[in-house]
Amino acid sequence: MTESLTIRRPDDWHLHFRDGAIMRGVVPYTARQFARAIVMPNLSPPVTTAAMGSAYRERILAAVPEGADFTPLMTCYLTDDTDADDLAQGFADGVFTAAKLYPAGATTNSASGVTDIAYIGQVLERMAEIGMPLCVHGEVVDPEIDIFDREAVFIERILAPLVERLPQLKVIFEHITTEDAVAFVESAGPQVGATITPQHLHINRNAMLVGGIRPHAYCLPVAKRERHRLALRKAAVSGSPKYFLGTDSAPHPRGDKESACGCAGIFNAPFALESYLAVFDEEGALDRFEGFASEHGPRFYGLPLNGDTITLERGKARVPDAIEAGGTEIVPFHAGETLGWTLRG
Ligand code: NCD
Ligand code: ZN
């Protein structure tokens, strides 16, 4: 049995840090494991200009613990009014690594998102021209569409036509949750990739709804049926360069989750690698973990691979019931469980 695994240091290609005290509390968990992270811009107000992106990056860097080598990769929140010149300048200056499409109302802090993709046609054309990747929250918001179908309908109505219209645009279909998404990514060209979260590899919708409603298993896109989870596991461990690690770690105060209208988002940053590795171990695919965690993402983005390594060892990682971040209590993914791998150091 493999007792330890040394791999190139991984990156997290989809992450929420928030801002202020919570951000300062959660950054160290990510910086301990990852060299870089694609930081989501859904603050309140959202990060919509290069100046805001640059200032937010500075606040994150100030929260990185002494001695840790961590680079936040910033994203610009697209709105109906995004200025293509400011966006392109932000990309050219290295402030922004990608732009993020939130359909308005799809998820946490997405009220200022795009109301109709037609409004950002020119922005997307410009991004395709300059090679700027587009991160996509792939769910329609049409109230007539059942929440469990919103990803599949998004593919049909928005994503497939977009990829057909702009075949050179690099698109990251983020936090995919369905076999439909896997099938779409497979059928698309190499410019379409996808991130997969640890929670969507571990849980199906029963985890959220059986035996009582469990707000800490609720995130968006919502976990689906078991057959979808199995399709995601197969994709993640397949070795295909189209799939890479993106935790979607999304901290919310305990009280905002345990509420009559609980927020969407799972805080998985503290044990993200241990959580993913459990899946690769169960699937007999430890040899595929480095590709998923550390190689496919940077290759897709056209960024250098990290030079240093990390080591994970077989052993007990006990996940606490709650974690304190900047004076706020947050319940992590796997709270109270014991995972079978630990990160050395
Ligand atoms: C995210 C958040 O809380 O910001 N929530 C979530 O359920 N994943 C937003 C998002 O990525 O959808
Ligand atoms: Zn997210």
Side-chain angles (χ1 to χ4, degrees), residues 14 16 40 175 248:
H14 179 128
H16 301 268
M40 288 297 126
H175 42 51
D248 194 16

Side-chain angles (χ1 to χ4, degrees), residues 94-144:
V95 173
F96 289 132
T97 299
K100 170 77 186 226
L101 168 62
Y102 285 106
T107 187
T108 304
N109 292 345
S110 63
S112 327
V114 173
T115 60
D116 186 333
I117 193 160
Y119 294 138
I120 57 162
Q122 283 177 359
V123 169
L124 297 175
E125 275 164 33
R126 184 75 167 274
M127 288 175 63
E129 257 167 55
I130 62 178
M132 183 175 193
L134 176 72
C135 298
V136 177
H137 183 107
E139 289 191 287
V140 291
V141 294
D142 182 342
E144 311 233 303

Side-chain angles (χ1 to χ4, degrees), residues 198 201-202 233 236-237 274-285:
L201 295 170
H202 278 280
R233 282 172 83 105
V237 305
E274 291 88 339
S275 178
Y276 278 114
L277 195 53
V279 171
F280 279 72
D281 197 7
E282 285 158 20
E283 296 289 332

